[in-house]
Amino acid sequence: MMDDITIKTALVARTYLYRIFQMTLGDDPTEELLSTMFSDTTKEALDCFGGAESDVYARACADLGQCRAAYEQDRASYLEAAKRDYMHVLVGPHELKAPPWECVYLTNERVLFQEATLKVREAYRGENMLPSQYPHVSDDHIAIELDFMVKLSEKAQAAFEAGDTAEYRRLLKAQRTFLTEHPLVWIDRYAADLGEDAPGSLYSCIGMLCAAFLPIDVEVIGELLEGSEGE
């Protein structure tokens, strides 16, 4: 049984990591983002889940450590390389080899706003949320799906702090359902494509780290739910 301190630590750490993943895959790289990503705080958040029996997660964390070393050796050059890689893997104008939309991986068609997109939108609406640029963006972009996880995680934290066990458990279950029905269905393939398109880059590293973390988080959610039974 987890004690309150362990639960709070897990809730804070997972929210933090989802935000790091979301910002990296959704925003232009900046010095502020990189300094946050390669901070001791990020390492501490990752270490919270280091007990999981996952060689993939361990390798991904080690790769992030190598990225941090390269960044600390020459921050200006690393930022410029990250900006180039960001344009290459997430913006274009060329056809993206690692398209960041769920529907593309589910259908193998490079057409946005498909049935898969609508299912993701239904999940957002179920929590009274929609992307800020709706309806001009495809709701199933990886950064938007991760942002949804951030917001649900933040709400779960607030419910736990308020002692609202019913809402806390509902939000945890909503996160687990969303993860298993959406990001986890395609994140492995997306991460592999990032690795092939930009090997050794920040984005290859974050893709693999995100893909390694998500299944661990499903297990963590299960443990959090077990810890709140009978309250």
Side-chain angles (χ1 to χ4, degrees):
M1 181 77 69
M2 290 192 231
D3 58 30
D4 282 1
I5 294 178
T6 302
I7 292 172
K8 289 178 182 179
T9 299
L11 291 173
V12 171
R14 58 191 298 275
T15 301
Y16 178 89
L17 291 177
Y18 275 117
R19 177 57 74 192
I20 287 290
F21 299 148
Q22 183 276 324
M23 290 190 301
T24 306
L25 296 172
D27 300 327
D28 292 339
T30 62
E31 174 57 32
E32 181 181 8
L33 171 60
L34 294 183
S35 63
T36 299
M37 180 185 307
F38 297 128
S39 66
D40 290 340
T41 301
T42 299
K43 185 178 184 306
E44 290 168 2
L46 290 168
D47 287 347
C48 287
F49 307 96
E53 296 181 0
S54 171
D55 291 339
V56 176
Y57 185 71
R59 288 197 301 270
C61 289
D63 285 349
L64 186 66
Q66 293 180 356
C67 287
R68 177 176 179 172
Y71 164 72
E72 291 178 343
Q73 185 175 11
D74 189 338
R75 297 190 176 196
S77 294
Y78 196 91
L79 175 58
E80 289 306 309
K83 289 179 178 179
R84 291 193 299 271
D85 289 335
Y86 177 81
M87 293 298 295
H88 176 71
V89 302
L90 284 160
V91 179
H94 56 277
E95 182 175 86
L96 301 180
K97 294 183 180 179
W101 298 281
E102 178 180 328
C103 61
V104 175
Y105 285 90
L106 266 58
T107 64
N108 294 317
E109 297 178 3
R110 288 181 174 268
V111 180
L112 302 184
F113 296 100
Q114 300 184 53
E115 181 181 356
T117 311
L118 298 179
K119 290 182 178 179
V120 173
R121 185 176 298 170
E122 288 174 5
Y124 299 159
R125 281 179 167 159
E127 295 294 335
N128 296 314
M129 298 183 204
L130 280 177
S132 59
Q133 298 181 53
Y134 170 84
H136 305 295
V137 295
S138 189
D139 311 61
D140 56 347
H141 190 288
I142 184 62
I144 299 177
E145 292 191 358
L146 291 169
D147 188 55
F148 184 59
M149 287 299 299
V150 172
K151 290 179 169 57
L152 291 183
S153 298
E154 290 173 340
K155 288 187 173 185
Q157 279 182 244
F160 179 79
E161 295 286 352
D164 189 342
T165 302
E167 179 65 359
Y168 169 67
R169 288 179 59 81
R170 187 194 71 78
L171 287 163
L172 288 176
K173 290 177 181 179
Q175 290 174 76
R176 184 169 61 183
T177 297
F178 185 75
L179 282 172
T180 55
E181 293 183 354
H182 296 290
L184 275 170
V185 175
W186 65 289
I187 188 66
D188 283 342
R189 286 174 289 167
Y190 177 59
D193 285 347
L194 282 175
E196 290 184 10
D197 192 28
S201 71
L202 169 65
Y203 297 94
S204 173
C205 177
I206 290 298
M208 186 172 74
L209 187 57
C210 185
F213 173 73
L214 264 56
I216 292 174
D217 192 41
V218 170
E219 295 181 5
V220 170
I221 291 173
E223 293 174 4
L224 292 170
L225 284 167
E226 288 179 9
S228 64
E229 287 180 351
E231 293 185 7

